[in-house]
């Protein structure tokens, strides 16, 4: 059959047929040009151009949440004592653990709805809402001088922080198997010969920005808390003495505000259904203006006299385009219910693993801050907020390098087998902390806060750097979730369910480990080391549970491939 000829407009110019122009694959979310009769948009090995500027804006958006979340870590224990939230150093763990948990507690009940909402109204509006809310809540936290206002600010910050699940969805939608490696190596040159395992690289970008956020947030919190004392030549006024923890909150809020403005002006919508609607609306406007792909010769429901039907396939009429614009989403693109997602093969195992992974890692992050701040006599290291902030920032820098350069190569070589081994590394941290305290106590248990022997810094930084190696499990967990996700059209909903599990872990873990540490110190249980022993046992259990995770994921992938093959044969 001869190919369809281009239509001629009243001015004599030619415009291609709609079937020859860019078509939007609603099912897959692809915007790749296709020609009639083509079954795939491009050859598998052709590399899709990477939207680097969009990735840059997305990185700025992803930076805001970890900065807001971590900037309180260096000073939260000092804040509880200074503002009278805790009556003594022994009780600090109960209050600071509560404050740390509140962010994740409320996020537990809201994160899945943010992901679901982004599946319906698009990714960009949800991101903007989260950034605005985070900016306001962080400023409110800085002005708070009562426990109840501090709690309210932390609750608001958690309730309005749904951006991570949306960012995960955007990364999935703007990358494919040909450029996911570029997404991770951005802004460096592309990695050669991308394979399906290169999705590790694209998702490592999320962990990379979290690591950078830790650097920025903890540096801000450690350097600019109590500015009237640490920087008296700039902030030696009664206002900054009264609001001793406002300055780091203001700086963190500025980063959120900058990310919000950048996303509002430059970030593009990536949701497949929204892209389909935008494409159809553009086509309709072009047709109605007489400049579109149909030309001016096509009327409502009629065939152009310049273009007989036998020259090619019938083109859609204006009424058909209007109907598609009103109902752009095919039925099979509708989001699955939560029950359907949970019943999908491999999802329950992946969600349980995500919960354990987050619980163990969050427990270490929280208890290290409390333990390092606690005096040596009570089992800690007696660090000042400034020293603690610098130690955490150095760990964030190491983590950024690991995520950018080391993780993609290790993951390509090992695959998901790496998952339980990374959990085991956290067990080494729990075992090493009491050893470091024993060593530090040999040099005296009554040393003033902040006046530590050099070996204290070496040991503390070593434990933190070990944790950055273990943090490679976070992008690995994203890969697990992507591989077991039921369908492409429910990516955000699947990540939302996973975020509920990890938010539950982030809610329970700080309170559990901080309270257990405080009880161990108060009652000298197991020589004050009961908390370390309990967390070591829990880590061992998590390693045992996730030992066969990679095998389960491979089974899910094989089953999906078999179903797809059967579907192709039937069609």
């Amino acid at each position: 059959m001869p190919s369809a000829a281009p239509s001629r407009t009243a001015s004599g110019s030619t415009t291609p047929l709609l079937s020859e122009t860019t078509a939007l694959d609603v099912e897959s979310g692809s915007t790749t040009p296709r020609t009639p009769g083509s079954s795939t948009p491009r050859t598998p090995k052709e590399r899709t151009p990477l939207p680097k500027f969009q990735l840059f804006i997305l990185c700025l958006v992803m930076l805001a949440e970890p900065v807001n979340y971590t900037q309180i870590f260096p000073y939260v224990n000092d804040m509880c004592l200074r503002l009278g939230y805790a009556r003594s150093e022994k009780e600090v763990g109960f209050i600071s653990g509560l404050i740390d948990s509140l962010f994740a507690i409320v996020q537990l009940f809201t994160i899945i709805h943010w992901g679901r909402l982004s599946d319906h109204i698009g990714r960009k509006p949800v991101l903007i809402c989260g950034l605005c809310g985070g900016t306001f809540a962080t400023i409110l936290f800085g002005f708070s001088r009562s426990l109840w206002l501090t709690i309210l600010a932390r609750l608001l910050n958690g309730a309005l922080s749904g951006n991570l699940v949306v960012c995960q969805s955007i990364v999935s939608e703007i990358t494919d198997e040909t450029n996911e490696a570029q997404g991770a190596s951005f802004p460096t040159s592309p990695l050669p010969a991308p394979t399906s395992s290169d999705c590790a690289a694209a998702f490592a970008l999320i962990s990379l920005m979290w690591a950078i956020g830790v650097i920025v947030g903890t540096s801000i919190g450690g350097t600019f808390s109590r500015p009237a004392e640490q920087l008296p030549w700039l902030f030696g006024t009664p206002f900054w003495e009264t609001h001793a923890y406002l300055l780091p909150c203001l700086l963190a809020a500025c980063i959120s505000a900058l990310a919000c403005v950048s996303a509002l002006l430059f970030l593009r919508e990536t949701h497949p259904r929204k892209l389909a609607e935008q494409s159809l609306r553009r086509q309709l406007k072009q047709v109605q203006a007489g400049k579109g792909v149909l030309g001016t010769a096509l009327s409502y429901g009629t065939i152009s006299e310049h273009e007989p039907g036998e020259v090619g396939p019938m083109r859609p009429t204006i009424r058909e385009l209007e109907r598609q614009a009103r109902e752009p989403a095919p039925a099979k693109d509708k989001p699955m219910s939560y029950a359907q997602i949970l019943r999908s093969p491999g999802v329950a195992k992946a969600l349980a693993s995500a919960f354990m992974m987050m619980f163990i890692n969050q427990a270490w992050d929280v208890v290290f801050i409390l333990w390092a701040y606690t005096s040596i006599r009570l089992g800690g290291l007696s660090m000042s907020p400034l020293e603690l902030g610098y130690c955490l920032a150095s760990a964030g820098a190491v983590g950024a390098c690991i995520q950018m350069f080391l993780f993609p190569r290790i993951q390509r070589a090992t695959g998901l087998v790496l998952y339980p081994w990374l959990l085991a590394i956290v067990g080494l941290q729990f075992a090493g902390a009491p050893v470091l305290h024993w060593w530090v106590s040999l040099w005296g248990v009554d040393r003033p806060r902040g006046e530590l022997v050099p070996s204290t810094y070496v040991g503390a930084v070593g434990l933190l750097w070990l944790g950055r190696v273990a943090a490679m499990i976070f992008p690995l967990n994203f890969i697990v979730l992507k591989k077991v996700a039921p369908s492409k059209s429910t990516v955000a909903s699947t990540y939302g369910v996973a975020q509920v599990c990890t938010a539950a872990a982030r809610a329970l873990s700080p309170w559990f480990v901080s309270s257990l540490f405080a009880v161990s110190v108060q009652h000298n249980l197991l020589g004050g080391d009961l908390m370390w022993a309990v967390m070591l046992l829990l880590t061992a259990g998590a390693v045992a549970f996730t030992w066969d995770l990679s095998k389960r994921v491979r089974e899910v992938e094989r089953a999906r491939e078999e179903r797809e093959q059967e579907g192709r044969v039937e069609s």
Side-chain angles (χ1 to χ4, degrees):
M1 180 179 294
S3 60
S7 63
R8 185 171 298 275
T9 65
S11 63
S13 61
T14 61
T15 55
L17 293 176
L18 179 62
S19 58
E20 291 177 324
T21 60
T22 301
L24 188 65
D25 190 343
V26 179
E27 179 180 355
S28 63
S30 171
T31 57
T32 304
R34 296 189 298 171
T35 58
S38 64
S39 59
T40 56
R42 55 167 56 86
T43 57
K45 294 184 179 180
E46 185 178 348
R47 191 183 295 273
T48 306
L50 185 70
K52 293 185 178 180
F53 183 69
Q54 291 297 297
L55 272 178
F56 172 76
I57 299 300
L58 187 62
C59 286
L60 188 58
V61 172
M62 289 190 289
L63 184 67
E65 182 172 332
V67 171
N68 286 339
Y69 181 67
T70 62
Q71 59 91 16
I72 76 167
F73 286 173
Y75 64 77
V76 64
N77 297 291
D78 186 67
M79 179 182 184
C80 291
L81 282 176
R82 185 183 180 92
L83 298 182
Y85 299 167
R87 290 175 296 181
S88 66
E89 188 175 338
K90 292 183 178 180
E91 297 180 358
V92 166
F94 295 107
I95 305 301
S96 64
L98 174 64
I99 295 174
D100 288 337
S101 297
L102 288 174
F103 183 97
I105 288 174
V106 69
Q107 195 178 58
L108 169 65
F109 299 101
T110 59
I111 188 68
I112 194 169
H113 300 295
W114 288 119
R116 195 72 162 178
L117 184 62
S118 76
D119 276 340
H120 289 282
I121 69 173
R123 315 301 188 201
K124 186 173 178 178
V126 175
L127 288 181
I128 298 299
C129 181
L131 290 169
C132 291
T135 302
F136 170 77
T138 301
I139 295 176
L140 182 63
F141 187 92
F143 275 106
S144 64
R145 290 183 53 79
S146 68
L147 180 59
W148 296 113
L149 187 56
T150 300
I151 289 176
L152 176 62
R154 200 62 171 165
L155 287 173
L156 286 175
N157 210 336
L160 297 171
S161 295
N163 286 353
L164 181 58
V165 63
V166 183
C167 290
Q168 292 172 3
S169 303
I170 293 176
V171 171
S172 295
E173 290 161 350
I174 66 176
T175 61
D176 55 33
E177 66 178 5
T178 68
N179 64 16
E180 283 163 336
Q182 288 177 277
S185 57
F186 171 76
T188 59
S189 60
L191 296 174
T195 65
S196 60
S197 66
D198 285 337
C199 60
F203 285 108
L205 183 63
I206 300 175
S207 293
L208 172 62
M209 296 315 300
W210 187 273
I212 295 176
V214 171
I215 300 173
V216 177
T218 54
S219 297
I220 288 175
T223 304
F224 298 102
S225 61
R226 296 166 61 173
E229 300 175 20
Q230 298 197 69
L231 304 169
W233 58 91
L234 289 176
F235 302 98
T237 63
F239 176 84
W240 294 110
E241 292 177 358
T242 302
H243 300 90
Y245 307 101
L246 173 61
L247 185 57
C249 293
L250 289 177
L251 295 175
C254 288
I255 294 176
S256 294
L258 176 62
C260 182
V261 173
S262 300
L264 183 64
L265 296 178
F266 304 114
L267 190 66
R268 297 177 181 175
E269 182 59 63
T270 63
H271 192 284
R273 190 181 302 111
K274 294 300 176 181
L275 289 177
E277 293 173 1
Q278 293 172 6
S279 177
L280 289 169
R281 283 195 294 268
R282 284 195 301 268
Q283 293 178 27
L284 184 58
K285 288 180 180 178
Q286 290 174 346
V287 171
Q288 292 171 337
K291 302 177 182 180
V293 294
L294 300 182
T296 58
L298 190 64
S299 63
Y300 280 81
T302 64
I303 302 177
S304 169
E305 60 179 339
H306 301 291
E307 191 178 340
E310 60 267 16
V311 301
M314 186 71 71
R315 296 179 298 165
T317 65
I318 295 178
R319 286 196 179 94
E320 290 172 344
L321 279 176
E322 290 175 337
R323 177 181 56 79
Q324 294 178 38
R326 290 191 300 268
E327 301 176 359
K332 62 184 176 181
D333 192 49
K334 293 181 179 179
M336 297 173 64
S337 67
Y338 299 136
Q340 289 174 313
I341 292 174
L342 291 173
R343 288 197 300 265
S344 299
V347 171
K349 178 83 172 182
L351 294 178
S353 301
F355 176 88
M356 295 180 181
M357 174 272 301
M358 183 59 71
F359 188 94
I360 298 299
N361 281 272
Q362 185 74 5
W364 166 258
D365 290 340
V366 170
V367 80
F368 174 85
I369 296 167
L370 176 59
W371 169 67
Y373 178 81
T374 301
S375 64
I376 299 175
R377 179 175 292 279
L378 294 178
L381 300 181
S382 195
M383 282 189 176
S384 67
L386 181 63
E387 294 168 333
L388 186 55
Y390 287 159
C391 287
L392 294 172
S394 71
V398 171
C401 294
I402 290 175
Q403 298 294 345
M404 181 178 294
F405 303 112
L406 187 60
F407 172 72
R409 292 169 174 80
I410 293 179
Q411 198 280 330
R412 281 196 297 272
T414 61
L416 298 180
V417 177
L418 190 63
Y419 202 101
W421 292 100
L422 294 176
L423 281 176
I425 292 177
V426 186
L428 295 179
Q429 293 176 280
F430 287 125
V435 175
L436 177 60
H437 170 259
W438 169 80
W439 172 259
V440 171
S441 64
L442 296 179
W443 302 88
V445 296
D446 295 318
R447 299 180 66 87
R449 184 176 303 279
E451 296 182 10
L452 308 178
V453 294
S455 59
T456 304
Y457 299 107
V458 174
V461 169
L463 289 175
L464 287 173
W465 289 8
L466 198 62
R468 294 309 92 199
V469 176
M472 289 192 294
I473 198 171
F474 291 103
L476 203 62
N477 188 69
F478 296 152
I479 296 171
V480 171
L481 293 171
K482 182 178 181 180
K483 288 180 179 294
V484 301
S487 66
K488 293 181 179 179
S489 62
T490 55
V491 170
S493 297
T494 303
Y495 285 143
V497 175
Q499 283 296 109
V500 170
C501 295
T502 55
R506 291 169 62 186
L508 295 173
S509 183
W511 175 83
F512 173 81
V513 74
S514 298
S515 299
L516 186 58
F517 180 84
V519 169
S520 300
V521 170
Q522 279 186 337
H523 302 286
N524 198 33
L525 300 178
L526 201 62
D529 294 332
L530 177 64
M531 185 275 302
W532 305 113
V534 171
M535 291 310 305
L536 191 57
L537 290 175
L538 291 178
T539 304
V543 170
F545 180 83
T546 59
W547 194 257
D548 63 341
L549 180 62
S550 61
K551 179 181 178 181
R552 180 57 176 158
V553 171
R554 287 196 300 269
E555 292 174 353
V556 172
E557 287 184 303
R558 283 196 297 266
R560 183 184 295 119
E561 291 173 358
E562 292 174 358
R563 289 195 302 270
E564 293 175 351
Q565 183 64 29
E566 291 174 358
R568 285 193 293 267
V569 171
E570 292 176 357
S571 61

